[in-house]
Amino acid sequence: MELDRAFCAAGEFGRCQRRLVAVLLGLQVYVACQSVLIVLVGAVPEYHIDQEEIPRNPEELASHVHFADNFTSIVTEWCLIKQEAYKVSLTSSLFFAGLLIGNLTFGPLSDRLGRKPVYLTGLFFDVILGYISAFAPSYQVFAMSRLGVGVMNGGTALVSFVLTQEYVGKSFWALTGSLTNMTFAVGIAFYAVLGYYIRDWRTLVFVSNSPGAFFFFLSYLLPESPRWLHSQGAVEKAEAIMQDIACANGKERLKIKLKPLGGAEKTQDSAPGVLNLVTHPVLRWRTVILMYIWYVCSLVYYGLTLNAGELKGNLYLNMALYGLVEVPACPLCIYFIEKPWAGRRKTTSAFLIFAGLACISTTFLGDRPGSFWNPTLLALSGKLAISAAFNIVYIYTSELYPTVIRNAGLGVCSMTCRMGGILAPFIPTMKSLGPAVPLLVFGLSGLSAGFLDLLLPETLNGPTVESLQDL
């Protein structure tokens, strides 16, 4: 029988899959904490310098600076203010650079070596490097550990997302993909709560990193992806895992016999890889369009967060709001992308265009505290829309690539996504050309990506593509 039919017979989202997915969803809380760690760990408390002339020497400056004692951070630890303030942003850039490397390398590795071994290895080193960050004796060690965490965090998150999709039937990919992103948003709010009660930065890093150790041991119970095994020609192993899933779902008498894929018995040397994304005529244009859409999603996401309608007040409350505002995006995604009149393609395009229009519209709104459509509300609405687009793009991309090259495709797209995240903080410098220029850049990017998305095929209710021959 075909694999999709086997999932239908064994239960597309039964008790067994719910337990497996719950482990991977819980991991997203840990991934979120690591992703936004620098927001609180690199925060700058109030301070004053006890002399008028500011010393240029960092050591001398540290002896004249007095920080407020409401919380500690790497800023208070190593006096990263004035001419040293760039080091906080550098740490963030190193983390994003690590994400880029992890997305680029872990995808092809898991397509070749398997989902589970690559996932477990990445998570193990992610936890180890996270603890090194907590006990870093110097800024240099902390910065390099954050680079390493970025590599492992980005790669682990990518592989865990693919595993989440490949454990369930295709009709539930939209649900599990949306739940993954929603759990990530909840993780941001969870980290804000941790930061509110834990004001010492080393303790905060240690506590927020500890769930990773718990999920590492729990992940040993996860089986290998039956879809990956089937795509590699390991039919018997895939059948055994599908049989275990069926038994755990209460279907003990079910006998699963899978049909081998055509061309699945290829040697490892000729196995599909990243190069196929360029050489295959169908994948080449899909990849170019998807890379741009992922890049824009990241650029507009961080651009709206940094530029439009900045929230005033409590640091921890603001951070929680920016996480929780993404939660409504998940049910919206699940509703629209399963409708035949909307689907993946049109819904993604609509959310991207709405986010672009929100950016452009913000440039025409002044500071109107009494107005309903003020910049803050418009910015939060735009972030909800771009979060929804980001959510769908993960699901949509995983359906557009065959199983044998799915992680490689997601890895390359995620790489351009990280490039957008790295560039977004630099766009505000274009204000020197005009106050509205940065938001116009974000808005036009969103609009162009939204219209470009319409060139991709619809995947709703289509068959799961397993091999390159299926294209």
Side-chain angles (χ1 to χ4, degrees):
M1 78 175 54
E2 297 177 356
L3 194 57
D4 283 333
R5 288 176 56 201
F7 269 105
C8 290
E12 289 191 288
F13 197 44
R15 292 193 303 269
C16 179
Q17 286 105 319
R18 287 197 292 269
R19 289 195 294 266
L20 299 176
V21 169
V23 174
L24 296 170
L25 290 180
L27 180 73
Q28 290 301 313
V29 175
Y30 167 72
V31 171
C33 289
Q34 292 296 321
S35 299
V36 297
L37 186 80
I38 199 65
V39 176
L40 299 182
V41 170
V44 183
E46 294 182 3
Y47 66 89
H48 74 275
I49 302 174
D50 59 11
Q51 65 178 31
E52 292 185 4
E53 185 177 350
I54 300 175
R56 293 186 177 181
N57 186 282
E59 289 76 15
E60 186 180 352
L61 176 62
S63 63
H64 292 281
V65 176
H66 302 279
F67 291 97
D69 58 359
N70 54 342
F71 65 88
T72 67
S73 67
I74 62 172
V75 176
T76 64
E77 178 93 8
W78 296 302
C79 197
L80 303 182
I81 61 172
K82 301 301 181 182
Q83 65 268 28
E84 297 290 303
Y86 76 93
K87 290 184 177 179
V88 178
S89 300
L90 177 61
T91 303
S92 182
S93 296
L94 287 172
F95 178 80
F96 274 103
L99 291 180
L100 189 152
I101 297 169
N103 292 153
L104 187 62
T105 57
F106 274 59
L109 280 175
S110 64
D111 282 334
R112 183 174 290 270
L113 303 177
R115 312 311 196 207
K116 184 178 178 179
V118 174
Y119 162 74
L120 287 175
T121 302
L123 183 55
F124 174 78
F125 286 106
D126 196 354
V127 173
I128 296 300
L129 289 165
Y131 283 128
I132 292 176
S133 297
F135 298 104
S138 65
Y139 167 79
Q140 289 76 14
V141 174
F142 178 81
M144 295 311 298
S145 68
R146 293 307 297 166
L147 172 64
V149 168
V151 174
M152 300 303 161
N153 194 264
T156 301
L158 174 70
V159 181
S160 69
F161 176 82
V162 174
L163 270 175
T164 304
Q165 300 294 76
E166 295 184 351
Y167 280 149
V168 302
K170 188 175 182 293
S171 60
F172 284 90
W173 281 14
L175 174 63
T176 54
S178 297
L179 288 175
T180 299
N181 289 280
M182 185 173 70
T183 311
F184 184 90
V186 172
I188 296 176
F190 172 75
Y191 179 65
V193 173
L194 282 181
Y196 180 79
Y197 288 103
I198 304 173
R199 299 302 179 94
D200 176 69
W201 78 268
R202 290 186 183 274
T203 306
L204 178 60
V205 175
F206 182 88
V207 172
S208 61
N209 188 65
S210 294
F214 170 75
F215 285 109
F216 172 75
F217 291 110
L218 204 58
S219 294
Y220 266 107
L221 302 175
L222 299 176
E224 180 57 271
S225 164
R227 289 190 182 276
W228 180 83
L229 290 170
H230 189 226
S231 70
Q232 299 298 305
V235 179
E236 293 182 359
K237 293 181 180 180
E239 289 173 350
I241 292 175
M242 290 302 299
Q243 192 67 52
D244 291 340
I245 290 175
C247 291
N249 289 337
K251 301 181 180 181
E252 294 85 354
R253 298 181 180 179
L254 183 65
K255 184 65 176 177
I256 294 177
K257 190 70 177 176
L258 298 175
K259 293 191 297 185
L261 286 176
E265 299 84 0
K266 294 183 179 180
T267 63
Q268 287 295 321
D269 293 334
S270 62
V274 177
L275 191 60
N276 292 100
L277 300 177
V278 179
T279 58
H280 197 286
V282 176
L283 291 177
R284 179 167 57 244
W285 291 112
R286 285 188 187 182
T287 302
V288 170
I289 294 172
L290 286 169
M291 284 172 67
Y292 181 71
I293 292 173
W294 279 67
Y295 162 79
V296 169
C297 281
S298 181
L299 188 75
V300 178
Y301 179 92
Y302 291 107
L304 280 171
T305 302
L306 297 173
N307 292 276
E310 293 183 358
L311 299 177
K312 308 296 182 181
N314 187 278
L315 170 66
Y316 307 99
L317 177 61
N318 292 348
M319 186 176 178
L321 285 175
Y322 270 115
L324 293 176
V325 74
E326 301 176 33
V327 173
C330 297
L332 285 174
C333 293
I334 296 173
Y335 176 78
F336 284 112
I337 65 179
E338 293 297 330
K339 299 296 181 182
W341 48 268
R344 276 68 159 149
R345 184 182 57 150
K346 292 179 182 177
T347 306
T348 305
S349 177
F351 278 123
L352 283 168
I353 291 172
F354 180 87
L357 291 175
C359 288
I360 295 174
S361 300
T362 304
T363 64
F364 299 104
L365 292 177
D367 190 9
R368 304 175 184 177
S371 174
F372 178 76
W373 286 108
N374 55 67
T376 299
L377 180 60
L378 202 57
L380 290 175
S381 300
K383 191 181 181 190
L384 186 151
I386 199 64
S387 299
F390 229 152
N391 188 354
I392 303 169
V393 163
Y394 268 95
I395 302 166
Y396 194 22
T397 303
S398 65
E399 294 177 347
L400 285 170
Y401 284 111
T403 299
V404 293
I405 203 171
R406 184 169 294 130
N407 252 333
L410 279 167
V412 171
C413 292
S414 296
M415 178 190 70
T416 57
C417 163
R418 303 312 171 189
M419 292 175 63
I422 293 171
L423 290 176
F426 295 98
I427 301 297
T429 61
M430 299 178 69
K431 285 183 179 178
S432 59
L433 302 175
V437 171
L439 286 169
L440 286 175
V441 171
F442 293 129
L444 293 174
S445 298
L447 290 175
S448 61
F451 289 117
L452 199 60
D453 176 77
L454 295 174
L455 298 177
L456 295 171
E458 179 57 65
T459 58
L460 177 63
N461 297 327
T464 303
V465 182
E466 303 290 352
S467 65
L468 295 178
Q469 287 76 15
D470 293 340
L471 289 172

